[in-house]
Amino acid sequence: MTAKKRVLVAMSGGVDSSVTAAFLQQQGYKVVGVTMQIWDPEQTVLDGDYVGCCSLSAVDDARRVADILGFPYYVFNFRDLFTEKVIQYFVDEYFQGRTPNPCIACNRFIKFEALLQKARQMGFDYIATGHYARLGYSEAFGRYTVRRARDEKKDQTYVLYGFTQDQIAHTLMPLAEYTKEQVRDMARQWGLPTASKPESQEICFVHDDNYRNFLDQRSPGAVKPGPFLDLAGNIIGEHRGIPFYTVGQRRGLGLATGERVYVVDIDPVRNTVTVGPEEAIWGTRLLASDNNFIAIESLKEPMEVQAQVRYNSRPYPAVIAPREDGLVTVTFQVPQRSITPGQAVVYYQGDYLVGGGTIEKTLGDEKLES
């Protein structure tokens, strides 16, 4: 019976996790709240306040919610692990000419691995988060599955493809059937102080929303200028350092070429940034690494899916095919704009999340496929 089930709710201090805790308590679960401490207090002060989704002010908000609802609340220290698995990954990827997705790394290594492991060691049956995604067991697939949330505008399945079967079986996401406004209404009905709290859009550990300054602070002197190249390999200017650029970028290049140009390729070995016309940033094929599958055990033959190459885009028909080296080739029916190394490509069949991987490179010409 759910009345005896214990659930550890990850509380970020926002309305979604607050309502998750309240909702599960109403459902008869024995709720305990926890905020994961991932910040450095000396580096997260802005205008006199501590900022970030898991900052000291977020802890205050989460604790107030726990006090109102009457359940225990704790703070767990995940700072060292977060630094290793998320922040260092974030920095390293940019210096390799790639564009990281720290939310995916945080979900994979912190929330649904480290936090779940700790929760189960403490005797909890589940962890719960305020993500918008539908989790459950599918008789049709014979597996635990992840499905898109009912509110397409809030769906967060793109950042959840790293789930294992065991993790899904021990995770609750009760907001998947509701819209954001419905969630805020529930918060108001329960008298929660986070009901009207605005959503945080920035990267939680980059408190001024300027990741370039963050990279300079983390790796002083490591950002080096280098040559801008055109598609023929000619030097046409000097860039400020490869972490300042991402594939598909047009603004902020500082090039007087007489026409619009976009970042086409970033080479960390030669420290070059290649630019070209808009047509050069479109492609139909890519190579994905570090793939994880949810709706299927593994990819053994080509499979028709809808694939999505960035969070705020929509999926397009594609075929995913396994390679002998463990990588996956993704071939789209229509060209995709700015296929960006380091970002995720996520596979769907209808509402079901099939899996996903990390974009390694665009395929299409001899230079890139070699």
Side-chain angles (χ1 to χ4, degrees), residues 249-268:
Q249 180 178 336
R250 178 175 70 85
R251 299 183 183 278
L253 301 183
L255 287 171
T257 62
E259 60 181 359
R260 288 184 175 180
V261 292
Y262 301 77
V263 174
V264 175
D265 183 57
I266 300 171
D267 187 337

Side-chain angles (χ1 to χ4, degrees), residues 96-122:
Q96 289 299 313
R98 296 157 62 92
T99 304
N101 193 317
C103 290
I104 291 175
C106 182
N107 286 333
R108 178 179 178 182
F109 296 111
I110 311 300
K111 289 189 179 76
F112 303 117
E113 184 172 298
L115 181 62
L116 177 56
Q117 182 180 19
K118 188 172 183 66
R120 294 175 73 178
Q121 289 172 348
M122 296 173 65

